[in-house]
Amino acid sequence: MLIGQQVTIVGAGIGGLGCALALAQRGAKVRVLEQADELGEVGAGLQISPNGVAVLDALGLGKQLRAAGVSMTDIRLLDCTHGAPVLRMNLAKYSADRAYLALHRADLLKILEQGARDAGVAIETGMAVTGVDGNGAGIRLDVAGRAGQSAPLVIGADGLHSVLRAHLNPSGAPFFTGQVAWRALVAGPQGGMPDSCVRLYMGPGKHLVTYPLRGGALTNIVAVQERDEWAEESWSAKGNPAVLQTVFRDFCPEVRDLLARVKEVSLWGLFRHKVAPNWTGPGCALIGDAAHPTLPFLAQGANLALEDAWVLADCLASMEQGAALKEYQLRRKGRATKVIAAANANARNYHLRNPALRIGAHMILRAASNLAPRRVLRQFDWIYGHDVTHS
Ligand SMILES: Cc1cc2nc3c(=O)[nH]c(=O)nc-3n(C[C@H](O)[C@H](O)[C@H](O)COP(=O)(O)OP(=O)(O)OC[C@H]3O[C@@H](n4cnc5c(N)ncnc54)[C@H](O)[C@@H]3O)c2cc1C
């Protein structure tokens, strides 16, 4: 169905580039319009779990992906005060097949961009889409400072502030979730020795995640704190390492030592929408954050965007466009909604403020981790074991 079909994708993020490649591999003629003048993003890490790796493998990018990523052996939940283990999720069962990887976002974008260009995708930078008009007969896009563009099929992969989302869902502005995230990279491993695990330190009203990148040459830090409001004009700003160090001064020495090495940090207000009621309309569809931004507390936003990208391309390749768009929303909305609800629940579970409640919850998790470690991991199978390329 897609051979020779013209498709325009708005946004060259992980979802947009993944979808461009999946469509081009099925014969479509794909253009990607990206507002930024250059591709690539400020340095930060990403966890790509086995469900996302399944899509990247199916796109033929597995080799480059594994070369750029660090394969995680386990995820450790730790108490913030002494760094005492609370729960360990051993990821060994995924490592033979799919792997659970930590990557620099810029590295993943580069791999996707190269794959898309090799498959014939045209990526045009400096193209900020400002308006959308049209219906089944074709979609017209307004582009800042340029002539309008038209396309028979447009995919909105334009993230949280999606123009396409507003076209399909006229009401609903992004709301502040009451959480901010600092993101920083420091040179070298955490502690003295390089290892391959995700560490998540849980404290009252805040948590901090670390993992290695680029073979341990860098350590990625995401530090989240609850706040009443976001006062900055933009949704991200330059942060102050001294403020970060002060906010987390009650965390254990290994965290304080790591934060003492932070020289530059960015601060993000975590905003989101509710899951969009309409993901598709005549001649257009939404994928990734444009349809369903999530809190990053399960590290699933980019993974879901990759799943969407694959499923949309799969539907469009096998059905007439109207039916394909309906089928796409049907196959994706329930799963995205469920993952986002689980990420929201983690916001509460990680940040327990009541000391008695926190001690009790950690005791239960510790016992589960010691007595039934396999069962603990099985609870995440519905997320990590999901393979959209085989469903
Ligand atoms: C602190 C933090 C940590 C995270 N960690 C993880 C993690 O470990 N694992 C994970 O899976 N997810 C993680 N996420 C979530 C993940 O970053 C996002 O869910 C993911 O990037 C969404 O991809 P996307 O392609 O839908 O949108 P985006 O990555 O937002 O890409 C959208 C693209 O569209 C472009 N664009 C926007 N508007 C326009 C326009 N009008 N015209 C043209 N171009 C436009 C943008 O410039 C951008 O290139 C994290 C998020 C945060 C905030």
PDB file of all heavy atoms in Angstrom, residues 10-16 33-35 45-47 105 127-129 157-159 163 181 183 211 222 270 287-290 296 299-303 305, ligand 1:
ATOM      1  N   VAL A  10       6.369  15.593  10.557  1.00  0.00           N
ATOM      2  CA  VAL A  10       6.784  16.827  11.228  1.00  0.00           C
ATOM      3  C   VAL A  10       7.530  16.430  12.497  1.00  0.00           C
ATOM      4  O   VAL A  10       6.944  15.831  13.406  1.00  0.00           O
ATOM      5  CB  VAL A  10       5.568  17.720  11.566  1.00  0.00           C
ATOM      6  CG1 VAL A  10       6.037  19.027  12.210  1.00  0.00           C
ATOM      7  CG2 VAL A  10       4.742  17.996  10.323  1.00  0.00           C
ATOM      8  N   GLY A  11       8.833  16.732  12.544  1.00  0.00           N
ATOM      9  CA  GLY A  11       9.628  16.435  13.744  1.00  0.00           C
ATOM     10  C   GLY A  11      10.641  15.324  13.492  1.00  0.00           C
ATOM     11  O   GLY A  11      10.256  14.204  13.142  1.00  0.00           O
ATOM     12  N   ALA A  12      11.919  15.653  13.640  1.00  0.00           N
ATOM     13  CA  ALA A  12      12.985  14.650  13.468  1.00  0.00           C
ATOM     14  C   ALA A  12      13.529  14.228  14.822  1.00  0.00           C
ATOM     15  O   ALA A  12      14.735  14.246  15.068  1.00  0.00           O
ATOM     16  CB  ALA A  12      14.091  15.206  12.584  1.00  0.00           C
ATOM     17  N   GLY A  13      12.638  13.861  15.742  1.00  0.00           N
ATOM     18  CA  GLY A  13      13.048  13.267  17.011  1.00  0.00           C
ATOM     19  C   GLY A  13      13.126  11.754  16.833  1.00  0.00           C
ATOM     20  O   GLY A  13      13.175  11.235  15.704  1.00  0.00           O
ATOM     21  N   ILE A  14      13.111  11.045  17.945  1.00  0.00           N
ATOM     22  CA  ILE A  14      13.255   9.586  17.879  1.00  0.00           C
ATOM     23  C   ILE A  14      12.054   8.960  17.170  1.00  0.00           C
ATOM     24  O   ILE A  14      12.196   8.094  16.312  1.00  0.00           O
ATOM     25  CB  ILE A  14      13.456   9.037  19.303  1.00  0.00           C
ATOM     26  CG1 ILE A  14      14.831   9.478  19.792  1.00  0.00           C
ATOM     27  CG2 ILE A  14      13.338   7.513  19.344  1.00  0.00           C
ATOM     28  CD1 ILE A  14      15.027   9.393  21.275  1.00  0.00           C
ATOM     29  N   GLY A  15      10.850   9.429  17.506  1.00  0.00           N
ATOM     30  CA  GLY A  15       9.647   8.888  16.863  1.00  0.00           C
ATOM     31  C   GLY A  15       9.621   9.222  15.378  1.00  0.00           C
ATOM     32  O   GLY A  15       9.360   8.353  14.533  1.00  0.00           O
ATOM     33  N   GLY A  16       9.891  10.480  15.031  1.00  0.00           N
ATOM     34  CA  GLY A  16       9.798  10.920  13.634  1.00  0.00           C
ATOM     35  C   GLY A  16      10.795  10.200  12.748  1.00  0.00           C
ATOM     36  O   GLY A  16      10.446   9.710  11.661  1.00  0.00           O
ATOM     37  N   LEU A  33      10.223  17.211   8.200  1.00  0.00           N
ATOM     38  CA  LEU A  33      10.419  18.649   8.415  1.00  0.00           C
ATOM     39  C   LEU A  33      10.766  18.869   9.878  1.00  0.00           C
ATOM     40  O   LEU A  33       9.990  18.517  10.772  1.00  0.00           O
ATOM     41  CB  LEU A  33       9.130  19.425   8.078  1.00  0.00           C
ATOM     42  CG  LEU A  33       8.509  19.157   6.703  1.00  0.00           C
ATOM     43  CD1 LEU A  33       7.273  20.026   6.508  1.00  0.00           C
ATOM     44  CD2 LEU A  33       9.517  19.394   5.584  1.00  0.00           C
ATOM     45  N   GLU A  34      11.929  19.444  10.126  1.00  0.00           N
ATOM     46  CA  GLU A  34      12.396  19.647  11.503  1.00  0.00           C
ATOM     47  C   GLU A  34      12.632  21.141  11.739  1.00  0.00           C
ATOM     48  O   GLU A  34      13.300  21.797  10.948  1.00  0.00           O
ATOM     49  CB  GLU A  34      13.682  18.846  11.743  1.00  0.00           C
ATOM     50  CG  GLU A  34      14.462  19.209  12.988  1.00  0.00           C
ATOM     51  CD  GLU A  34      13.680  19.072  14.299  1.00  0.00           C
ATOM     52  OE1 GLU A  34      13.000  18.057  14.495  1.00  0.00           O
ATOM     53  OE2 GLU A  34      13.763  20.014  15.115  1.00  0.00           O
ATOM     54  N   GLN A  35      12.111  21.633  12.868  1.00  0.00           N
ATOM     55  CA  GLN A  35      12.232  23.073  13.128  1.00  0.00           C
ATOM     56  C   GLN A  35      13.677  23.512  13.440  1.00  0.00           C
ATOM     57  O   GLN A  35      14.074  24.620  13.111  1.00  0.00           O
ATOM     58  CB  GLN A  35      11.315  23.485  14.264  1.00  0.00           C
ATOM     59  CG  GLN A  35      11.684  22.868  15.605  1.00  0.00           C
ATOM     60  CD  GLN A  35      10.719  23.245  16.726  1.00  0.00           C
ATOM     61  OE1 GLN A  35       9.749  23.951  16.504  1.00  0.00           O
ATOM     62  NE2 GLN A  35      10.990  22.764  17.923  1.00  0.00           N
ATOM     63  N   GLY A  45      21.172  11.288  28.568  1.00  0.00           N
ATOM     64  CA  GLY A  45      21.079   9.861  28.298  1.00  0.00           C
ATOM     65  C   GLY A  45      19.652   9.403  28.109  1.00  0.00           C
ATOM     66  O   GLY A  45      18.702  10.116  28.430  1.00  0.00           O
ATOM     67  N   LEU A  46      19.530   8.197  27.599  1.00  0.00           N
ATOM     68  CA  LEU A  46      18.226   7.563  27.403  1.00  0.00           C
ATOM     69  C   LEU A  46      18.359   6.087  27.717  1.00  0.00           C
ATOM     70  O   LEU A  46      19.367   5.473  27.346  1.00  0.00           O
ATOM     71  CB  LEU A  46      17.828   7.627  25.933  1.00  0.00           C
ATOM     72  CG  LEU A  46      17.036   8.785  25.393  1.00  0.00           C
ATOM     73  CD1 LEU A  46      16.726   8.500  23.936  1.00  0.00           C
ATOM     74  CD2 LEU A  46      15.748   9.015  26.169  1.00  0.00           C
ATOM     75  N   GLN A  47      17.363   5.530  28.366  1.00  0.00           N
ATOM     76  CA  GLN A  47      17.314   4.079  28.531  1.00  0.00           C
ATOM     77  C   GLN A  47      16.422   3.529  27.429  1.00  0.00           C
ATOM     78  O   GLN A  47      15.265   3.959  27.310  1.00  0.00           O
ATOM     79  CB  GLN A  47      16.717   3.725  29.890  1.00  0.00           C
ATOM     80  CG  GLN A  47      17.531   4.228  31.074  1.00  0.00           C
ATOM     81  CD  GLN A  47      16.789   4.042  32.383  1.00  0.00           C
ATOM     82  OE1 GLN A  47      16.439   2.941  32.755  1.00  0.00           O
ATOM     83  NE2 GLN A  47      16.563   5.133  33.097  1.00  0.00           N
ATOM     84  N   ARG A 105      21.505  10.297  23.868  1.00  0.00           N
ATOM     85  CA  ARG A 105      20.409  10.591  22.930  1.00  0.00           C
ATOM     86  C   ARG A 105      20.942  11.021  21.556  1.00  0.00           C
ATOM     87  O   ARG A 105      20.408  10.612  20.511  1.00  0.00           O
ATOM     88  CB  ARG A 105      19.523  11.698  23.508  1.00  0.00           C
ATOM     89  CG  ARG A 105      18.329  12.060  22.654  1.00  0.00           C
ATOM     90  CD  ARG A 105      17.615  13.252  23.246  1.00  0.00           C
ATOM     91  NE  ARG A 105      16.968  12.898  24.480  1.00  0.00           N
ATOM     92  CZ  ARG A 105      15.665  12.699  24.609  1.00  0.00           C
ATOM     93  NH1 ARG A 105      14.866  12.848  23.583  1.00  0.00           N
ATOM     94  NH2 ARG A 105      15.150  12.358  25.753  1.00  0.00           N
ATOM     95  N   MET A 127      12.728  24.024   9.354  1.00  0.00           N
ATOM     96  CA  MET A 127      11.343  24.013   8.845  1.00  0.00           C
ATOM     97  C   MET A 127      10.382  23.914  10.031  1.00  0.00           C
ATOM     98  O   MET A 127       9.996  22.816  10.449  1.00  0.00           O
ATOM     99  CB  MET A 127      11.127  22.810   7.920  1.00  0.00           C
ATOM    100  CG  MET A 127      12.039  22.795   6.704  1.00  0.00           C
ATOM    101  SD  MET A 127      11.557  24.014   5.467  1.00  0.00           S
ATOM    102  CE  MET A 127      10.305  23.145   4.562  1.00  0.00           C
ATOM    103  N   ALA A 128      10.027  25.061  10.597  1.00  0.00           N
ATOM    104  CA  ALA A 128       9.111  25.069  11.745  1.00  0.00           C
ATOM    105  C   ALA A 128       7.672  25.159  11.255  1.00  0.00           C
ATOM    106  O   ALA A 128       7.276  26.171  10.650  1.00  0.00           O
ATOM    107  CB  ALA A 128       9.430  26.249  12.652  1.00  0.00           C
ATOM    108  N   VAL A 129       6.921  24.118  11.480  1.00  0.00           N
ATOM    109  CA  VAL A 129       5.516  24.107  11.059  1.00  0.00           C
ATOM    110  C   VAL A 129       4.703  24.934  12.057  1.00  0.00           C
ATOM    111  O   VAL A 129       4.786  24.711  13.269  1.00  0.00           O
ATOM    112  CB  VAL A 129       4.994  22.650  10.978  1.00  0.00           C
ATOM    113  CG1 VAL A 129       3.494  22.615  10.708  1.00  0.00           C
ATOM    114  CG2 VAL A 129       5.755  21.890   9.900  1.00  0.00           C
ATOM    115  N   ALA A 157       5.052  14.096  14.557  1.00  0.00           N
ATOM    116  CA  ALA A 157       6.008  13.529  15.525  1.00  0.00           C
ATOM    117  C   ALA A 157       6.692  14.711  16.184  1.00  0.00           C
ATOM    118  O   ALA A 157       7.900  14.695  16.420  1.00  0.00           O
ATOM    119  CB  ALA A 157       7.008  12.632  14.803  1.00  0.00           C
ATOM    120  N   ASP A 158       5.895  15.755  16.461  1.00  0.00           N
ATOM    121  CA  ASP A 158       6.458  17.041  16.867  1.00  0.00           C
ATOM    122  C   ASP A 158       6.373  17.280  18.372  1.00  0.00           C
ATOM    123  O   ASP A 158       6.361  18.431  18.825  1.00  0.00           O
ATOM    124  CB  ASP A 158       5.837  18.196  16.068  1.00  0.00           C
ATOM    125  CG  ASP A 158       4.323  18.132  15.949  1.00  0.00           C
ATOM    126  OD1 ASP A 158       3.744  17.069  16.277  1.00  0.00           O
ATOM    127  OD2 ASP A 158       3.702  19.127  15.560  1.00  0.00           O
ATOM    128  N   GLY A 159       6.334  16.203  19.126  1.00  0.00           N
ATOM    129  CA  GLY A 159       6.564  16.292  20.568  1.00  0.00           C
ATOM    130  C   GLY A 159       5.461  16.978  21.368  1.00  0.00           C
ATOM    131  O   GLY A 159       4.330  17.158  20.907  1.00  0.00           O
ATOM    132  N   VAL A 163       1.914  20.830  16.936  1.00  0.00           N
ATOM    133  CA  VAL A 163       0.954  21.607  16.144  1.00  0.00           C
ATOM    134  C   VAL A 163      -0.112  20.660  15.584  1.00  0.00           C
ATOM    135  O   VAL A 163      -1.290  21.005  15.498  1.00  0.00           O
ATOM    136  CB  VAL A 163       1.702  22.325  14.991  1.00  0.00           C
ATOM    137  CG1 VAL A 163       0.738  23.102  14.115  1.00  0.00           C
ATOM    138  CG2 VAL A 163       2.778  23.240  15.537  1.00  0.00           C
ATOM    139  N   ALA A 181      13.045  18.243  36.507  1.00  0.00           N
ATOM    140  CA  ALA A 181      14.162  17.287  36.357  1.00  0.00           C
ATOM    141  C   ALA A 181      15.437  18.035  35.993  1.00  0.00           C
ATOM    142  O   ALA A 181      15.442  18.834  35.062  1.00  0.00           O
ATOM    143  CB  ALA A 181      13.836  16.267  35.264  1.00  0.00           C
ATOM    144  N   ARG A 183      19.169  17.531  34.496  1.00  0.00           N
ATOM    145  CA  ARG A 183      19.878  16.525  33.694  1.00  0.00           C
ATOM    146  C   ARG A 183      21.328  16.968  33.568  1.00  0.00           C
ATOM    147  O   ARG A 183      21.593  18.123  33.227  1.00  0.00           O
ATOM    148  CB  ARG A 183      19.259  16.417  32.309  1.00  0.00           C
ATOM    149  CG  ARG A 183      17.815  16.003  32.367  1.00  0.00           C
ATOM    150  CD  ARG A 183      17.169  16.179  31.018  1.00  0.00           C
ATOM    151  NE  ARG A 183      17.069  14.914  30.328  1.00  0.00           N
ATOM    152  CZ  ARG A 183      16.436  14.777  29.170  1.00  0.00           C
ATOM    153  NH1 ARG A 183      15.898  15.806  28.575  1.00  0.00           N
ATOM    154  NH2 ARG A 183      16.348  13.593  28.602  1.00  0.00           N
ATOM    155  N   TYR A 211      23.191   6.321  35.386  1.00  0.00           N
ATOM    156  CA  TYR A 211      23.638   5.155  34.615  1.00  0.00           C
ATOM    157  C   TYR A 211      24.789   5.561  33.704  1.00  0.00           C
ATOM    158  O   TYR A 211      24.941   6.750  33.375  1.00  0.00           O
ATOM    159  CB  TYR A 211      22.499   4.493  33.827  1.00  0.00           C
ATOM    160  CG  TYR A 211      21.639   5.416  33.000  1.00  0.00           C
ATOM    161  CD1 TYR A 211      21.984   5.775  31.711  1.00  0.00           C
ATOM    162  CD2 TYR A 211      20.448   5.904  33.520  1.00  0.00           C
ATOM    163  CE1 TYR A 211      21.175   6.600  30.964  1.00  0.00           C
ATOM    164  CE2 TYR A 211      19.634   6.735  32.776  1.00  0.00           C
ATOM    165  CZ  TYR A 211      20.001   7.081  31.494  1.00  0.00           C
ATOM    166  OH  TYR A 211      19.200   7.907  30.748  1.00  0.00           O
ATOM    167  N   VAL A 222      19.862  12.032  36.150  1.00  0.00           N
ATOM    168  CA  VAL A 222      18.546  12.692  36.100  1.00  0.00           C
ATOM    169  C   VAL A 222      18.077  12.810  37.543  1.00  0.00           C
ATOM    170  O   VAL A 222      17.975  11.801  38.245  1.00  0.00           O
ATOM    171  CB  VAL A 222      17.513  11.865  35.295  1.00  0.00           C
ATOM    172  CG1 VAL A 222      16.156  12.564  35.298  1.00  0.00           C
ATOM    173  CG2 VAL A 222      17.973  11.629  33.869  1.00  0.00           C
ATOM    174  N   LEU A 270       8.660  19.391  34.032  1.00  0.00           N
ATOM    175  CA  LEU A 270       8.031  18.230  33.379  1.00  0.00           C
ATOM    176  C   LEU A 270       6.557  18.547  33.142  1.00  0.00           C
ATOM    177  O   LEU A 270       5.762  18.630  34.089  1.00  0.00           O
ATOM    178  CB  LEU A 270       8.226  16.976  34.228  1.00  0.00           C
ATOM    179  CG  LEU A 270       9.690  16.566  34.436  1.00  0.00           C
ATOM    180  CD1 LEU A 270       9.800  15.281  35.247  1.00  0.00           C
ATOM    181  CD2 LEU A 270      10.428  16.397  33.103  1.00  0.00           C
ATOM    182  N   ILE A 287       2.260  10.528  16.556  1.00  0.00           N
ATOM    183  CA  ILE A 287       3.021   9.479  17.231  1.00  0.00           C
ATOM    184  C   ILE A 287       3.834  10.094  18.379  1.00  0.00           C
ATOM    185  O   ILE A 287       4.094  11.300  18.401  1.00  0.00           O
ATOM    186  CB  ILE A 287       3.979   8.713  16.286  1.00  0.00           C
ATOM    187  CG1 ILE A 287       5.039   9.650  15.685  1.00  0.00           C
ATOM    188  CG2 ILE A 287       3.219   8.001  15.184  1.00  0.00           C
ATOM    189  CD1 ILE A 287       6.127   8.899  14.919  1.00  0.00           C
ATOM    190  N   GLY A 288       4.239   9.249  19.321  1.00  0.00           N
ATOM    191  CA  GLY A 288       5.142   9.665  20.395  1.00  0.00           C
ATOM    192  C   GLY A 288       4.528  10.714  21.308  1.00  0.00           C
ATOM    193  O   GLY A 288       3.326  10.721  21.583  1.00  0.00           O
ATOM    194  N   ASP A 289       5.399  11.620  21.794  1.00  0.00           N
ATOM    195  CA  ASP A 289       4.954  12.629  22.757  1.00  0.00           C
ATOM    196  C   ASP A 289       3.835  13.506  22.208  1.00  0.00           C
ATOM    197  O   ASP A 289       3.063  14.085  22.979  1.00  0.00           O
ATOM    198  CB  ASP A 289       6.132  13.537  23.156  1.00  0.00           C
ATOM    199  CG  ASP A 289       7.012  12.920  24.243  1.00  0.00           C
ATOM    200  OD1 ASP A 289       6.824  11.732  24.567  1.00  0.00           O
ATOM    201  OD2 ASP A 289       7.889  13.633  24.765  1.00  0.00           O
ATOM    202  N   ALA A 290       3.738  13.650  20.915  1.00  0.00           N
ATOM    203  CA  ALA A 290       2.648  14.455  20.344  1.00  0.00           C
ATOM    204  C   ALA A 290       1.300  13.852  20.733  1.00  0.00           C
ATOM    205  O   ALA A 290       0.324  14.575  20.967  1.00  0.00           O
ATOM    206  CB  ALA A 290       2.780  14.516  18.824  1.00  0.00           C
ATOM    207  N   PRO A 296       8.922  10.744  32.924  1.00  0.00           N
ATOM    208  CA  PRO A 296       9.992   9.799  32.552  1.00  0.00           C
ATOM    209  C   PRO A 296      10.272   8.739  33.618  1.00  0.00           C
ATOM    210  O   PRO A 296      11.359   8.194  33.663  1.00  0.00           O
ATOM    211  CB  PRO A 296      11.197  10.730  32.356  1.00  0.00           C
ATOM    212  CG  PRO A 296      10.937  11.895  33.229  1.00  0.00           C
ATOM    213  CD  PRO A 296       9.444  12.070  33.308  1.00  0.00           C
ATOM    214  N   ALA A 299      10.981   5.435  32.148  1.00  0.00           N
ATOM    215  CA  ALA A 299      11.882   5.539  30.990  1.00  0.00           C
ATOM    216  C   ALA A 299      11.253   4.928  29.740  1.00  0.00           C
ATOM    217  O   ALA A 299      11.865   4.102  29.062  1.00  0.00           O
ATOM    218  CB  ALA A 299      13.233   4.888  31.316  1.00  0.00           C
ATOM    219  N   GLN A 300      10.025   5.344  29.441  1.00  0.00           N
ATOM    220  CA  GLN A 300       9.321   4.713  28.323  1.00  0.00           C
ATOM    221  C   GLN A 300       8.911   5.663  27.193  1.00  0.00           C
ATOM    222  O   GLN A 300       8.393   5.214  26.173  1.00  0.00           O
ATOM    223  CB  GLN A 300       8.071   3.972  28.839  1.00  0.00           C
ATOM    224  CG  GLN A 300       8.386   2.641  29.481  1.00  0.00           C
ATOM    225  CD  GLN A 300       9.080   1.686  28.529  1.00  0.00           C
ATOM    226  OE1 GLN A 300       8.594   1.430  27.433  1.00  0.00           O
ATOM    227  NE2 GLN A 300      10.237   1.167  28.924  1.00  0.00           N
ATOM    228  N   GLY A 301       9.117   6.974  27.342  1.00  0.00           N
ATOM    229  CA  GLY A 301       8.616   7.909  26.316  1.00  0.00           C
ATOM    230  C   GLY A 301       9.181   7.631  24.933  1.00  0.00           C
ATOM    231  O   GLY A 301       8.440   7.528  23.950  1.00  0.00           O
ATOM    232  N   ALA A 302      10.497   7.489  24.844  1.00  0.00           N
ATOM    233  CA  ALA A 302      11.117   7.233  23.543  1.00  0.00           C
ATOM    234  C   ALA A 302      10.797   5.811  23.066  1.00  0.00           C
ATOM    235  O   ALA A 302      10.613   5.570  21.873  1.00  0.00           O
ATOM    236  CB  ALA A 302      12.629   7.422  23.639  1.00  0.00           C
ATOM    237  N   ASN A 303      10.710   4.882  24.017  1.00  0.00           N
ATOM    238  CA  ASN A 303      10.374   3.500  23.646  1.00  0.00           C
ATOM    239  C   ASN A 303       8.959   3.421  23.061  1.00  0.00           C
ATOM    240  O   ASN A 303       8.726   2.747  22.059  1.00  0.00           O
ATOM    241  CB  ASN A 303      10.506   2.589  24.875  1.00  0.00           C
ATOM    242  CG  ASN A 303      11.964   2.400  25.270  1.00  0.00           C
ATOM    243  OD1 ASN A 303      12.729   1.834  24.524  1.00  0.00           O
ATOM    244  ND2 ASN A 303      12.337   2.919  26.427  1.00  0.00           N
ATOM    245  N   ALA A 305       7.436   5.880  21.590  1.00  0.00           N
ATOM    246  CA  ALA A 305       7.472   6.565  20.286  1.00  0.00           C
ATOM    247  C   ALA A 305       7.962   5.597  19.202  1.00  0.00           C
ATOM    248  O   ALA A 305       7.429   5.582  18.087  1.00  0.00           O
ATOM    249  CB  ALA A 305       8.376   7.790  20.362  1.00  0.00           C
TER     250      ALA A 305
HETATM  251  C1  LIG B   1      14.360  13.945  32.082  1.00  0.00           C
HETATM  252  C2  LIG B   1      13.857  13.010  31.011  1.00  0.00           C
HETATM  253  C3  LIG B   1      14.396  11.729  30.893  1.00  0.00           C
HETATM  254  C4  LIG B   1      13.894  10.845  29.937  1.00  0.00           C
HETATM  255  N1  LIG B   1      14.433   9.589  29.863  1.00  0.00           N
HETATM  256  C5  LIG B   1      13.900   8.704  28.996  1.00  0.00           C
HETATM  257  C6  LIG B   1      14.432   7.372  28.901  1.00  0.00           C
HETATM  258  O1  LIG B   1      15.388   7.024  29.596  1.00  0.00           O
HETATM  259  N2  LIG B   1      13.846   6.502  28.029  1.00  0.00           N
HETATM  260  C7  LIG B   1      12.787   6.874  27.244  1.00  0.00           C
HETATM  261  O2  LIG B   1      12.265   6.024  26.488  1.00  0.00           O
HETATM  262  N3  LIG B   1      12.282   8.125  27.290  1.00  0.00           N
HETATM  263  C8  LIG B   1      12.813   9.046  28.133  1.00  0.00           C
HETATM  264  N4  LIG B   1      12.335  10.317  28.169  1.00  0.00           N
HETATM  265  C9  LIG B   1      11.210  10.691  27.282  1.00  0.00           C
HETATM  266  C10 LIG B   1      11.670  10.934  25.863  1.00  0.00           C
HETATM  267  O3  LIG B   1      12.705  11.887  25.848  1.00  0.00           O
HETATM  268  C11 LIG B   1      10.513  11.426  24.994  1.00  0.00           C
HETATM  269  O4  LIG B   1       9.340  10.709  25.285  1.00  0.00           O
HETATM  270  C12 LIG B   1      10.860  11.199  23.526  1.00  0.00           C
HETATM  271  O5  LIG B   1      11.963  12.003  23.179  1.00  0.00           O
HETATM  272  C13 LIG B   1       9.667  11.526  22.629  1.00  0.00           C
HETATM  273  O6  LIG B   1      10.078  11.411  21.289  1.00  0.00           O
HETATM  274  P1  LIG B   1       9.261  12.144  20.157  1.00  0.00           P
HETATM  275  O7  LIG B   1       9.980  11.816  18.887  1.00  0.00           O
HETATM  276  O8  LIG B   1       7.822  11.844  20.268  1.00  0.00           O
HETATM  277  O9  LIG B   1       9.373  13.712  20.472  1.00  0.00           O
HETATM  278  P2  LIG B   1      10.651  14.659  20.644  1.00  0.00           P
HETATM  279  O10 LIG B   1      11.851  13.896  21.069  1.00  0.00           O
HETATM  280  O11 LIG B   1      10.163  15.769  21.493  1.00  0.00           O
HETATM  281  O12 LIG B   1      10.901  15.166  19.165  1.00  0.00           O
HETATM  282  C14 LIG B   1      10.072  16.111  18.551  1.00  0.00           C
HETATM  283  C15 LIG B   1      10.837  16.748  17.382  1.00  0.00           C
HETATM  284  O13 LIG B   1       9.930  17.571  16.690  1.00  0.00           O
HETATM  285  C16 LIG B   1      10.526  18.843  16.457  1.00  0.00           C
HETATM  286  N5  LIG B   1       9.434  19.811  16.389  1.00  0.00           N
HETATM  287  C17 LIG B   1       8.626  20.208  17.389  1.00  0.00           C
HETATM  288  N6  LIG B   1       7.717  21.092  16.952  1.00  0.00           N
HETATM  289  C18 LIG B   1       7.953  21.246  15.624  1.00  0.00           C
HETATM  290  C19 LIG B   1       7.344  22.043  14.611  1.00  0.00           C
HETATM  291  N7  LIG B   1       6.305  22.827  14.890  1.00  0.00           N
HETATM  292  N8  LIG B   1       7.838  21.977  13.353  1.00  0.00           N
HETATM  293  C20 LIG B   1       8.891  21.151  13.063  1.00  0.00           C
HETATM  294  N9  LIG B   1       9.523  20.401  13.987  1.00  0.00           N
HETATM  295  C21 LIG B   1       9.047  20.431  15.245  1.00  0.00           C
HETATM  296  C22 LIG B   1      11.441  19.042  17.678  1.00  0.00           C
HETATM  297  O14 LIG B   1      12.440  20.001  17.413  1.00  0.00           O
HETATM  298  C23 LIG B   1      11.986  17.639  17.855  1.00  0.00           C
HETATM  299  O15 LIG B   1      13.116  17.397  17.050  1.00  0.00           O
HETATM  300  C24 LIG B   1      12.839  11.246  29.078  1.00  0.00           C
HETATM  301  C25 LIG B   1      12.322  12.533  29.168  1.00  0.00           C
HETATM  302  C26 LIG B   1      12.831  13.417  30.108  1.00  0.00           C
HETATM  303  C27 LIG B   1      12.247  14.809  30.203  1.00  0.00           C
END
